[in-house]
């Protein structure tokens, strides 16, 4: 019996070691994804502020990179679920990882959509200066939120949130609506600028979702229901 048990135990240990290495690689992938998402939110804000076409192209490239990284993370997690059949905390790690990757992917899509407005308006600014100022404030807030959750993703530790970022974004949305009302722009242009602002608002919502997922990973407290629609 002992002669059979020892090789089996060795096999279990090798499988466990491989699983741990895969989890570490997955965590590293998420950390890199979160940094790319932060770069994208920063660059699209800079592109918007300066009608910067070069920065806009960088945003498009960063989004493409994020989507490729998301696909790789998805493949890795599916392989872990299929081949390792994790349970308990290990399963929580894997499931949370793919959800975080999905939210980061969506942030990339939001920045790409925002960049399209800059691209179409170039060489002009997308809106009058007062409206641009509000949009840049929204982009700056979104970039700050993504930077904070990027740090949480890297550490695997939940940073307590008090909802201040979401409230601040709501205030900026109201200010944007006021600026659009006062600006000399067409109704169609005003709608476009409101939709542009909503991309930054959604980035903050995605960041908040990531923060709740990290809390779930760190504490076991379930996040609120599903992610935002695409």
């Amino acid at each position: 019996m002992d002669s059979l048990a020892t090789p089996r135990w060795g096999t279990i240990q090798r499988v466990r070691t491989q699983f741990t290495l895969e989890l570490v690689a997955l965590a590293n992938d998420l950390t890199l994804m979160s940094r790319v998402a932060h770069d994208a939110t920063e660059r699209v804000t800079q592109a918007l502020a300066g009608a910067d076409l070069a920065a806009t192209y960088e945003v498009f490239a960063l989004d493409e990179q994020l989507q490729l990284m998301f696909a790789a993370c998805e493949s890795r997690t599916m392989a872990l679920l299929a081949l390792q059949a994790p349970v308990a905390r290990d399963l929580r790690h894997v499931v949370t990882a793919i959800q975080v990757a999905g939210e980061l992917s969506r942030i990339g899509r939001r920045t790409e959509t925002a960049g399209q407005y800059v691209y179409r308006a170039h060489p002009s600014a997308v809106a009058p200066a007062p409206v641009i100022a509000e949009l840049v404030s929204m982009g700056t807030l979104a970039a700050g939120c993504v930077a904070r959750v990027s740090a949480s993703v890297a550490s695997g530790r939940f940073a307590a949130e008090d909802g201040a970022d979401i409230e601040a974004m709501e205030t900026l949305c109201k200010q944007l609506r006021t600026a659009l009302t006062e600006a000399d722009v067409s109704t169609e242009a005003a709608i476009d600028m409101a939709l542009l602002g909503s991309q930054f608002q959604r980035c903050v919502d995605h960041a908040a979702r990531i923060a709740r997922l990290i809390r779930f990973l760190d504490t076991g407290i379930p996040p609120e229901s599903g992610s935002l629609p695409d």
Side-chain angles (χ1 to χ4, degrees):
M1 184 66 119
D2 289 342
S3 62
L4 293 175
T6 301
R8 182 174 181 276
W9 175 249
T11 300
I12 292 172
Q13 286 293 87
R14 286 194 297 274
V15 169
R16 181 64 193 176
T17 299
Q18 181 61 34
F19 180 77
T20 301
L21 291 174
E22 289 289 342
L23 281 182
V24 170
L26 185 57
N28 290 339
D29 288 346
L30 289 178
T31 298
L32 183 55
M33 275 191 77
S34 65
R35 290 171 181 166
V36 174
H38 174 240
D39 288 345
T41 52
E42 277 198 328
R43 293 304 285 156
V44 77
T45 303
Q46 293 167 4
L48 182 62
D52 188 337
L53 193 58
T56 304
Y57 286 141
E58 288 182 40
V59 172
F60 296 158
L62 289 167
D63 172 56
E64 184 177 359
Q65 183 180 353
L66 269 173
Q67 303 318 314
L68 291 173
M69 295 172 75
F70 171 62
C73 281
E74 191 173 42
S75 296
R76 188 188 293 275
T77 54
M78 292 304 102
L80 282 172
L81 289 172
L83 301 177
Q84 304 287 351
V87 295
R89 184 172 175 82
D90 288 341
L91 180 61
R92 192 163 83 202
H93 270 91
V94 177
V95 172
T96 301
I98 192 57
Q99 290 179 308
V100 169
E103 298 297 335
L104 292 168
S105 168
R106 292 179 181 94
I107 289 174
R109 286 303 191 204
R110 301 294 183 184
T111 62
E112 192 274 342
T113 300
Q116 289 289 349
Y117 287 95
V118 180
Y119 176 79
R120 289 196 295 267
H122 187 81
S124 301
V126 297
V131 176
I132 289 289
E134 297 299 338
L135 290 169
V136 168
S137 294
M138 296 173 79
T140 301
L141 177 60
C145 292
V146 177
R148 283 189 288 278
V149 296
S150 177
S152 291
V153 169
S155 66
R157 297 296 179 183
F158 171 65
E161 292 286 336
D162 58 8
D165 291 331
I166 292 176
E167 291 179 8
M169 184 58 81
E170 288 289 346
T171 298
L172 290 175
C173 286
K174 293 177 182 177
Q175 292 174 191
L176 175 62
R177 289 194 290 270
T178 299
L180 287 170
T181 301
E182 296 173 350
D184 183 18
V185 296
S186 66
T187 300
E188 183 180 359
I191 292 172
D192 279 347
M193 292 308 97
L195 290 173
L196 172 54
S198 74
Q199 302 307 314
F200 295 125
Q201 186 178 23
R202 297 284 80 80
C203 283
V204 171
D205 291 339
H206 290 307
R209 169 69 176 166
I210 292 170
R212 293 192 294 271
L213 288 166
I214 297 299
R215 178 186 65 186
F216 172 58
L217 183 61
D218 190 25
T219 67
I221 299 173
E224 296 175 6
S225 60
S227 61
L228 296 163
D230 287 326

